[in-house]
Amino acid sequence: MLLAIDCGNTNTVFSIWDGTEFIATWRTSTEWQRTADQYYVWLNTLMRLQNIDADITDMIISSTVPRVVFNLRVLADRYFHTRPLVVGKPGCDLPIDVRVDAGTQVGPDRLVNTVAGFDLYGGDLIVVDFGTATTFDVVAADGAYIGGVIAPGVNLSLEALHSAAAALPHVDISKPQQVIGTNTVACMQSGVFWGYVGLVREICDRVKAERARPMRVIATGGLAPLFQQAVDLFDDYQDELTMHGLTVIHDYNKDKAE
């Protein structure tokens, strides 16, 4: 079975893929100090609690935090006796082209989302990922990654607002009942929610105009369901988009090896 790991700036997701479906998914905070032994104890405990008897033979890793990768490599070698594929590193090929300026490093999560989006929907896509940053990845008709947009993440913006303005509290993001807030919390929630709705809509409209062709907008990430409440903002939402992309990349490399 395949252990797919998506390591983001805030959280790391572990999923076990049996070749047909994900049989388990767990999430933990991203900490580069966490050792391979700690990963294994945590993972093995969760597997036993859920009565999952999985023979993990392969691993694939996508990480936006380079310092985490070493211990995940050790985890693969020491406990699963396998050499992991690491997206963006030598030995891990992609089934798509990457057409950006020479010397540009593209985040592995963005490449994985592009692979997943093209596999599920075909080309001419805008993939919006609500993570620590809000990213927009543009997928060409042939599936190539051709660039995108990076904006501050929703929670990052809220934290910055709270930290920089002493009188403003920390608030949870939610869709307000009306645009005009009648208290501080409601005002902040309205500003963030409708501000990001406007940001997403405007960026997507400009990308479509620049590409001069119809494009589907696919959302993923933890806060995507919240913003999906805004009418006609996305064409579809995929909760496991990144993990699906990892399975596609793993299969592509496995087929090439054979």
Side-chain angles (χ1 to χ4, degrees):
M1 293 188 186
L2 173 68
L3 177 61
I5 304 174
D6 173 33
C7 178
N9 291 296
T10 305
N11 293 313
T12 300
V13 179
F14 291 71
S15 290
I16 297 177
W17 174 256
D18 69 358
T20 304
E21 63 180 355
F22 290 108
I23 62 174
T25 296
W26 302 286
R27 186 181 300 267
T28 186
S29 58
T30 299
E31 296 178 9
W32 68 265
Q33 303 97 327
R34 187 172 285 134
T35 66
D37 301 327
Q38 289 174 313
Y39 278 121
Y40 181 73
V41 169
W42 172 78
L43 189 61
N44 189 51
T45 300
L46 289 171
M47 290 173 64
R48 293 197 309 181
L49 285 172
Q50 297 185 22
N51 296 315
I52 295 173
D53 183 17
D55 180 19
I56 294 172
T57 57
D58 297 274
M59 275 180 56
I60 184 168
I61 302 166
S62 169
S63 178
T64 58
V65 185
R67 298 176 77 179
V68 171
V69 175
F70 174 77
N71 283 322
L72 291 175
R73 285 185 183 272
V74 175
L75 170 70
D77 177 64
R78 181 178 298 168
Y79 291 104
F80 301 118
H81 312 294
T82 186
R83 181 179 180 180
L85 288 169
V86 181
V87 179
K89 300 296 183 182
C92 182
D93 296 326
L94 299 176
I96 60 164
D97 289 332
V98 180
R99 301 185 192 131
V100 294
D101 295 342
T104 299
Q105 293 291 324
V106 181
D109 55 329
R110 307 182 73 183
L111 298 176
V112 174
N113 283 347
T114 297
V115 169
F118 182 63
D119 183 69
L120 292 171
Y121 300 98
D124 288 327
L125 301 177
I126 303 170
V127 181
V128 185
D129 190 347
F130 291 89
T132 304
T134 301
T135 58
F136 300 74
D137 300 316
V138 183
V139 185
D142 63 352
Y145 175 86
I146 57 173
V149 178
I150 301 175
V154 178
N155 287 319
L156 190 63
S157 296
L158 277 171
E159 286 294 334
L161 193 61
H162 170 62
S163 299
L168 297 180
H170 175 78
V171 300
D172 293 325
I173 181 64
S174 64
K175 181 182 178 181
Q177 294 183 349
Q178 55 190 33
V179 176
I180 302 173
T182 55
N183 57 68
T184 302
V185 170
C187 288
M188 293 174 67
Q189 289 176 332
S190 182
V192 171
F193 181 84
W194 292 113
Y196 269 86
V197 167
L199 180 146
V200 171
R201 197 184 304 278
E202 180 69 12
I203 288 177
C204 289
D205 285 349
R206 287 183 175 272
V207 169
K208 292 174 184 177
E210 195 167 290
R211 294 288 294 162
R213 65 182 65 199
M215 302 190 73
R216 300 183 69 177
V217 180
I218 311 302
T220 190
L223 288 175
L226 172 67
F227 288 95
Q228 197 177 19
Q229 298 177 44
V231 178
D232 297 331
L233 194 60
F234 312 122
D235 294 303
D236 201 1
Y237 161 70
Q238 282 289 335
D239 179 42
E240 296 182 334
L241 187 71
T242 306
M243 306 313 288
H244 176 77
L246 288 174
T247 68
V248 174
I249 295 171
H250 171 263
D251 288 346
Y252 178 75
N253 281 268
K254 190 173 182 178
D255 290 342
K256 286 190 67 175
E258 294 175 350

